[in-house]
Amino acid sequence: MAIKTISTQVFEGQKPGTSGLRKKVKEFQRSGYLENFVQAIFNTIAPCDGHTLVVGGDGRFFNREAIQVIIRMAAANGFSRLLVGQGGILSTPAASCIIRKHQARGGIILSASHNPGGPDGDFGIKFNGDNGGPAPESLTDSIYQQTLSIDHYLIEDAEDVNLDQLGAYSLAGTAIEIIDPVADYADLMASLFDFERMKALLTNGKFRMCFDAMHAVTGPYAKEIFERRLGAAEGTVINGVPLEDFGGGHPDPNQVHAHELVALLNGDNPMDFGAASDGDGDRNMVLGKGFYLNPCDSLAVMAANAQYIPGYAEGIAGIARSMPTSRAADRVAKKLGIHCYETPTGWKFFGNLLDAGKITLCGEESFGTGSDHVREKDGMWAVLFWLNLIAVRNQPLGEIVKNHWTRYGRDYFTRHDYEAVNSERAADMIERLRGQLPDLPGREFAGLCIESADDFSYTDPIDGSETCNQGVRIFFDNGGRVVFRLSGTGTEGATLRVYFDQYQNDPTLLGQDPQKALATLMDAADQVAGIIEYTGREKPDVIT
Ligand code: G1P
Ligand code: ZN
């Protein structure tokens, strides 16, 4: 075996987005494409000697090939130990847990999250640091700079490692351990939640639940936790085998893509509790009997009820939410006398706050909720939190949430996505909005008057770093808010996201359909921004 130095050429566009580098599989299959990015990571975090690296992914097409390359490159770059998930599998939150538990230098996670997989689908790669969290912008910027000047990479000339067999191997002085991807993570969950009480609920012969793993990474995690440790009936986990193309589905846990689950929670004889997670296991959708739980409400209700959960019984230090997320959590923070931070979109912005102990819970409207137990959002964790809460409060999910609205008022929220729109037109729309910002206050649209408008920027309270242009916010005089931003995770054209939220505390108006409750705000948004005109679309592709 020998280390080979391979000459390479720069690939344009290896700039990490909201969550790592995400491209079409075909792009990643270009000779040297993956290698360049991996070498750029290693160059940025060098020296690698003597350190441990965690490697795993969501099991999508190209996962195994990529892992073999990373193993050989990590060995050539001097890592002393690699922890690799069996079968190449590690959910994003489990990778975060393992990095922390084994004091690794970091981890490489292969995933394009909720984007479709398969030969014509998407692939992705991200680096998480020694706190288990996504690399901060300073680091992703350095990685990008490396990709612009790279001219060679190092790789060990060796055979493939058997990823399916648990055990230890040695490659040129690097210890390679193929580890159980589930065990450490399941133990962490058992330390936070009241498994006894949840087991009693799941085995009482009345409570019926379903977990939809969407043929993505959470299947093995859900089977171990729900069916083995918590005693739920076999078959509670559906679509539980990770497939390279997610069974042709779109592993995004929302009401559109998780329709099989949605049907089980509605109609005749609905189940009591349903949940789904995404491609890499960091997102969650939670449903009650005939009840859809908005992720913004989820964060707020969790914060208001944290004292019922063993891992949080001593109280929470603070909360953070991404800017487009509704302000429901802010109301809880106020009542608890703690701070609620507003950060740009993307989990990486929670890292410093979590590390500094400023926050315990955090969340995003995009089906992401989490806590300081790891440094990623965590789908299974959120589902277990809710199950634990239902078990303790002995109330259906819908009732818990409705009681919350009665107490705090309801922040109606919805997000409209316009996918694969013309990139230039989308950029023009945002540019035009930015240009209009100073003139918007005082103007009226659809009968609503604009109070203020800005382009969100954020100064990290811990390290002082600044992040600008994070989304145009328009605040109306009725308390409503509209946010416009372009996605940083798409791989085709541009995705325009428009977020609407509006507070309501009239007890007779708490049970409306959000699309109706927010209709005037939607009209106003189109009039201000010209959504239909710029996108050429009459209506959004996805509504969440
Ligand atoms: C999307 C979500 C964002 C989330 C990210 C990674 O990013 O909106 O909240 O952190 O995926 O899961 P976007 O495509 O909007 O940039
Ligand atoms: Zn994800």
Side-chain angles (χ1 to χ4, degrees):
M1 275 173 292
I3 296 177
K4 291 207 290 189
T5 303
I6 310 282
S7 308
T8 188
Q9 279 175 0
V10 166
F11 289 93
E12 300 285 319
Q14 292 198 319
K15 188 174 169 58
T18 311
S19 183
L21 180 67
R22 228 174 258 187
K23 300 280 176 194
K24 291 278 167 212
V25 166
K26 297 242 155 31
E27 186 96 19
F28 269 102
Q29 286 172 324
R30 293 168 70 185
S31 168
Y33 192 90
L34 170 74
E35 290 84 346
N36 275 18
F37 194 74
V38 171
Q39 190 64 53
I41 295 173
F42 293 160
N43 290 350
T44 305
I45 62 167
C48 306
D49 299 67
H51 289 296
T52 299
L53 183 74
V54 173
V55 186
D58 63 12
R60 66 178 59 228
F61 185 82
F62 198 58
N63 190 50
R64 284 172 177 267
E65 289 89 327
I67 288 180
Q68 298 291 356
V69 169
I70 294 166
I71 289 174
R72 297 207 300 276
M73 288 185 65
N77 278 274
F79 280 97
S80 62
R81 185 173 175 226
L82 302 184
L83 300 176
V84 185
Q86 186 182 22
I89 292 288
L90 278 183
S91 78
T92 289
S96 185
C97 157
I98 292 166
I99 293 168
R100 294 168 68 78
K101 182 162 178 175
H102 298 274
Q103 281 132 32
R105 173 67 186 86
I108 292 184
I109 306 172
L110 303 162
S111 170
S113 189
H114 50 287
N115 295 11
D120 298 315
D122 291 347
F123 193 75
I125 173 167
K126 54 186 177 176
F127 177 73
N128 282 27
D130 58 6
N131 70 347
E137 289 220 310
S138 52
L139 201 70
T140 53
D141 284 347
S142 310
I143 295 171
Y144 177 53
Q145 288 310 319
Q146 286 285 337
T147 68
L148 296 177
S149 59
I150 198 157
D151 59 8
H152 71 276
Y153 61 85
L154 303 179
I155 190 160
E156 201 66 49
D157 191 12
E159 299 277 298
D160 279 359
V161 170
N162 182 351
L163 295 177
D164 296 307
Q165 185 72 46
L166 291 178
Y169 305 81
S170 170
L171 177 60
T174 302
I176 300 167
E177 293 171 39
I178 307 297
I179 59 167
D180 177 343
V182 179
D184 285 335
Y185 178 80
D187 291 347
L188 178 60
M189 294 300 112
S191 75
L192 295 171
F193 299 110
D194 188 345
F195 271 26
E196 280 311 308
R197 207 141 177 183
M198 294 154 82
K199 189 170 186 174
L201 176 72
L202 289 175
T203 54
N204 70 6
K206 286 181 270 175
F207 190 85
R208 289 157 62 229
M209 78 161 274
C210 174
F211 181 89
D212 187 352
M214 305 188 87
H215 283 306
V217 79
T218 48
Y221 296 86
K223 279 191 192 149
E224 170 66 21
I225 295 174
F226 293 119
E227 297 184 7
R228 291 190 202 104
R229 298 201 186 193
L230 294 174
E234 214 174 294
T236 296
V237 178
I238 60 169
N239 301 320
V241 179
L243 298 176
E244 288 201 328
D245 65 348
F246 308 117
H250 192 140
D252 198 359
N254 58 40
Q255 295 189 93
V256 179
H257 296 303
H259 47 82
E260 190 179 348
L261 177 75
V262 172
L264 291 171
L265 273 292
N266 291 284
D268 303 338
N269 197 17
M271 291 191 164
D272 299 288
F273 184 74
S277 191
D278 72 329
D280 62 329
D282 57 359
R283 294 186 173 200
N284 74 89
M285 180 174 70
V286 170
L287 303 171
K289 190 180 277 190
F291 188 89
Y292 166 73
L293 173 67
N294 184 283
C296 307
D297 286 332
S298 182
L299 175 65
V301 178
M302 280 181 175
N305 290 277
Q307 73 274 14
Y308 293 113
I309 309 297
Y312 308 93
E314 281 166 21
I316 53 175
I319 313 173
R321 61 163 175 85
S322 67
M323 179 275 281
T325 303
S326 90
R327 292 158 285 177
D330 305 39
R331 301 180 206 288
V332 177
K334 200 166 170 208
K335 207 156 231 166
L336 294 175
I338 56 176
H339 199 71
C340 185
Y341 296 84
E342 184 176 38
T343 58
T345 296
W347 209 259
K348 59 187 169 214
F349 296 101
F350 295 136
N352 280 346
L353 294 168
L354 288 164
D355 284 349
K358 298 277 185 207
I359 59 170
T360 307
L361 298 179
C362 45
E364 296 191 271
E365 49 67 41
S366 52
F367 301 87
T369 333
S371 89
D372 59 359
H373 68 290
V374 288
R375 292 294 180 272
E376 287 278 6
K377 55 182 174 260
D378 189 342
M380 287 290 297
W381 170 89
V383 177
L384 292 167
F385 193 116
W386 272 99
L387 207 53
N388 196 157
L389 191 54
I390 291 166
V392 180
R393 290 197 41 175
N394 199 19
Q395 273 179 309
L397 184 144
E399 238 174 75
I400 295 175
V401 180
K402 285 176 194 162
N403 287 345
H404 183 93
W405 291 338
T406 308
R407 183 148 183 235
Y408 290 89
R410 177 174 180 185
D411 288 86
Y412 279 99
F413 177 89
T414 189
R415 183 177 103 185
H416 289 185
D417 289 344
Y418 298 81
E419 294 179 340
V421 299
N422 180 294
S423 302
E424 272 175 33
R425 296 284 292 160
D428 285 352
M429 192 192 107
I430 298 287
E431 258 331 292
R432 183 176 151 264
L433 269 174
R434 284 195 180 122
Q436 283 185 314
L437 286 174
D439 308 323
L440 286 179
R443 289 185 61 192
E444 223 175 79
F445 297 89
L448 300 179
C449 184
I450 295 181
E451 263 185 356
S452 61
D454 66 4
D455 194 350
F456 182 64
S457 60
Y458 176 69
T459 305
D460 186 298
I462 310 301
D463 66 13
S465 59
E466 284 193 42
T467 311
C468 303
N469 301 332
Q470 293 300 302
V472 170
R473 307 189 290 182
I474 301 184
F475 297 90
F476 292 89
D477 61 351
N478 66 344
R481 180 186 70 160
V482 182
V483 175
F484 298 87
R485 60 179 284 280
L486 298 181
S487 156
T489 58
T491 55
E492 232 179 286
T495 294
L496 168 69
R497 305 202 195 282
V498 191
Y499 311 77
F500 306 91
D501 73 313
Q502 167 114 44
Y503 182 61
Q504 177 60 262
N505 63 358
D506 177 340
T508 64
L509 295 175
L510 297 178
Q512 302 172 74
D513 170 359
Q515 300 309 314
K516 294 212 175 85
L518 298 165
T520 314
L521 216 47
M522 292 170 191
D523 285 345
D526 186 51
Q527 288 180 25
V528 182
I531 303 171
I532 297 175
E533 184 196 330
Y534 277 93
T535 61
R537 306 276 169 83
E538 285 296 326
K539 54 181 179 40
D541 299 283
V542 181
I543 295 179
T544 53

